Amino acid sequence: MQTPTGQHNGEPLDILAVDDTPANLRVLSQALKRWGYRVRPAPNGEIALQAALARCPDLILLDVNMPDMDGYEVCRRLKAIPDLAHVPVIFISALSETLDKVTAFRVGGVDYITKPFELEEVEARVRTHLQLRETRRQLEAVNHELERLVSVRTEQLELANDRLKMLDHAKDEFLHLIAHELRTPLNGILGVAGILFDSFPDDPQVQDLQPVFENAERRLLDILNDALMLSEVEVRPESLAKSPLRIDELMRTLPFSEWQLEGFDQLTPTHLLLADVASLRRALESLMRACRNMAPHRECRAVIQLNDHFELRLVSIETYLDEEVRLRMFEPFAISEIQTAGVHLGLGPALASRILALFDGTISAEQEDDGVTFIIRLPWPGASFTRRS
């Protein structure tokens, strides 16, 4: 910011004073030097333009009535030069009509002082406009720095986004590779273990271990199958084509034999969904399995509600999951972080979430009074659907 002595960063501010009257020019120059400014006097418009081009001034004091080229024309030419357009111009003139002042502002002037002038007024206006110019400089510097920072940050975000895409792709490939490559050796291990159990049918200790083995075998195969399906959904979602399917027929194919059922009698052949029947069945089976895994020895309930959308609620009765688990269970790579004692969710919820999203459906897990409830919502064909968390 300009100091009271007319300096900026220790250097005098440069003022170009233009007037064809030597006495006026001398008075202005002496006063400006006394206030601490560096002054360059110019007796006419042509010399003023040359002086401004040679070294850009901080401010110009410009007379209006001059021979050959008046102050208005000088100002027009200054404003047409990009390197000089920002320099504040204060007109000093004996012309005091409103039209004269309007013209001065129209051609680019920032102020107008009428002659005869008071030096105190000149000093005050010069100081004010130099301060305004310095403020604009600082704002421009801040804007340039902000633009630079935004550009740098944008580039960093683009690089980070590219890395995330690469990581996502790598995770999908890894998931598919591991699931596929594990199947062959795992089948060998499971086959040998089955033979060993069959070899000792009368050994009670061996037979006591068989249910544990069969449960672990089932979980391993479920995880592998879900991993393969999940990678297929992530990499080739277009392979799951939508077509009309009857809900009543779909529900009859699901293993609800040991479930409490409510609302199923509402279903008629006219209730249709638009989805891939095999993958939708897989999604619902995965969620049913997750319900069972949360409470293996308790009952589960399935409730159908037909509103402006199809809604299926799968309730694991008398179970509890804290909010973090319920929010993160649909993330495929968070399953190792959200396991709770006695609860093994696996990849089923994540797989179901991905499949339902392909058919414009949603899924959430809510802790309700009677237990943890999976809420599946799917739109009717051709209907708009408001997604709910």
Side-chain angles (χ1 to χ4, degrees), residues 195-210:
I195 293 172
L196 289 175
F197 279 114
D198 292 340
S199 300
F200 299 94
D202 300 323
D203 189 323
Q205 290 184 328
V206 172
Q207 296 308 311
D208 286 345
L209 293 175
Q210 188 165 2

Side-chain angles (χ1 to χ4, degrees), residues 16 18 44-50 52 60-64 66-81 84 89 91 107:
L16 182 61
V18 188
N44 59 58
E46 191 63 42
I47 292 176
L49 288 170
Q50 293 175 6
I60 298 173
L61 291 171
L62 182 58
D63 187 21
V64 174
M66 294 186 296
D68 299 326
M69 187 188 306
D70 65 18
Y72 298 143
E73 181 60 26
V74 174
C75 190
R76 288 191 190 92
R77 296 192 184 188
L78 285 168
K79 298 303 176 182
I81 301 171
L84 301 175
V89 175
F91 283 97
V107 298

Side-chain angles (χ1 to χ4, degrees), residues 18-25 28 62-66 91-96 101 112-118 121-122:
V18 188
D19 199 312
D20 67 325
T21 303
N24 290 339
L25 199 55
L28 277 175
L62 182 58
D63 187 21
V64 174
N65 283 328
M66 294 186 296
F91 283 97
I92 298 181
S93 175
L95 302 174
S96 59
K101 297 177 182 180
Y112 195 98
I113 302 172
T114 56
K115 297 178 181 178
F117 51 77
E118 295 291 338
E121 180 185 5
V122 174

Side-chain angles (χ1 to χ4, degrees), residues 39-336:
V39 185
R40 287 185 289 157
N44 59 58
E46 191 63 42
I47 292 176
L49 288 170
Q50 293 175 6
L53 285 168
R55 185 172 72 239
C56 181
D58 294 297
L59 183 140
I60 298 173
L61 291 171
L62 182 58
D63 187 21
V64 174
N65 283 328
M66 294 186 296
D68 299 326
M69 187 188 306
D70 65 18
Y72 298 143
E73 181 60 26
V74 174
C75 190
R76 288 191 190 92
R77 296 192 184 188
L78 285 168
K79 298 303 176 182
I81 301 171
D83 291 339
L84 301 175
H86 64 282
V87 178
V89 175
I90 299 177
F91 283 97
I92 298 181
S93 175
L95 302 174
S96 59
E97 297 295 328
T98 299
L99 180 59
D100 301 315
K101 297 177 182 180
V102 170
T103 303
F105 288 116
R106 185 176 295 147
V107 298
V110 297
D111 211 339
Y112 195 98
I113 302 172
T114 56
K115 297 178 181 178
F117 51 77
E118 295 291 338
L119 289 176
E120 291 79 3
E121 180 185 5
V122 174
E123 180 188 14
R125 298 196 184 215
V126 166
R127 184 189 304 114
T128 296
H129 288 291
L130 285 172
Q131 288 174 344
L132 288 172
R133 186 182 183 220
E134 181 60 23
T135 300
R136 283 194 292 270
R137 280 176 173 169
Q138 293 175 352
L139 286 174
E140 288 173 0
V142 170
N143 286 335
H144 287 319
E145 179 62 13
L146 287 174
E147 289 174 0
R148 186 190 69 80
L149 291 174
V150 168
S151 177
V152 170
R153 186 58 178 159
T154 300
E155 184 177 353
Q156 291 173 342
L157 289 173
E158 288 175 349
L159 289 172
N161 188 47
D162 290 341
R163 292 193 195 100
L164 285 174
K165 289 179 180 178
M166 291 175 62
L167 286 173
D168 283 342
H169 184 67
K171 287 193 295 185
D172 292 337
E173 289 187 339
F174 176 78
L175 192 65
H176 186 273
L177 178 65
I178 291 299
H180 186 272
E181 293 301 320
L182 279 178
R183 186 175 293 278
T184 299
L186 186 61
N187 283 336
I189 293 172
L190 296 177
V192 170
I195 293 172
L196 289 175
F197 279 114
D198 292 340
S199 300
F200 299 94
D202 300 323
D203 189 323
Q205 290 184 328
V206 172
Q207 296 308 311
D208 286 345
L209 293 175
Q210 188 165 2
V212 178
F213 165 75
E214 290 175 349
N215 182 57
E217 176 186 27
R218 186 165 51 251
R219 284 188 55 211
L220 278 172
L221 292 176
D222 286 341
I223 290 173
L224 284 177
N225 291 332
D226 287 347
L228 284 171
M229 185 67 180
L230 185 60
S231 64
E232 181 74 16
V233 170
E234 295 283 1
V235 176
R236 287 181 291 275
E238 68 281 354
S239 64
L240 304 180
K242 296 180 183 180
S243 60
L245 62 92
R246 285 175 51 178
I247 306 175
D248 60 337
E249 290 182 345
L250 174 64
M251 292 298 113
R252 280 196 289 270
T253 66
L254 295 174
F256 282 123
S257 59
E258 297 180 3
W259 286 59
Q260 299 177 21
L261 304 181
E262 296 179 15
F264 280 62
D265 55 349
Q266 303 175 74
L267 296 177
T268 70
T270 61
H271 290 116
L272 304 176
L273 291 175
L274 195 60
D276 174 75
V277 62
S279 58
L280 182 55
R281 181 190 301 115
R282 180 68 173 275
L284 297 179
E285 287 174 345
S286 296
L287 291 173
M288 293 173 65
R289 187 169 64 244
C291 275
R292 280 292 185 197
N293 289 340
M294 279 189 282
H297 306 297
R298 296 193 182 102
E299 289 186 318
C300 292
R301 180 168 63 251
V303 182
I304 286 178
Q305 295 181 1
L306 306 178
N307 303 305
D308 58 344
H309 57 270
F310 170 76
E311 182 170 302
L312 173 64
R313 305 171 73 91
L314 303 176
V315 186
S316 182
I317 299 175
E318 296 183 4
T319 56
Y320 173 81
L321 291 179
D322 63 40
E323 185 178 13
E324 181 184 4
V325 175
R326 286 184 282 109
L327 290 176
R328 299 199 64 196
M329 68 167 61
F330 303 110
E331 302 174 22
F333 287 91
I335 58 171
S336 62

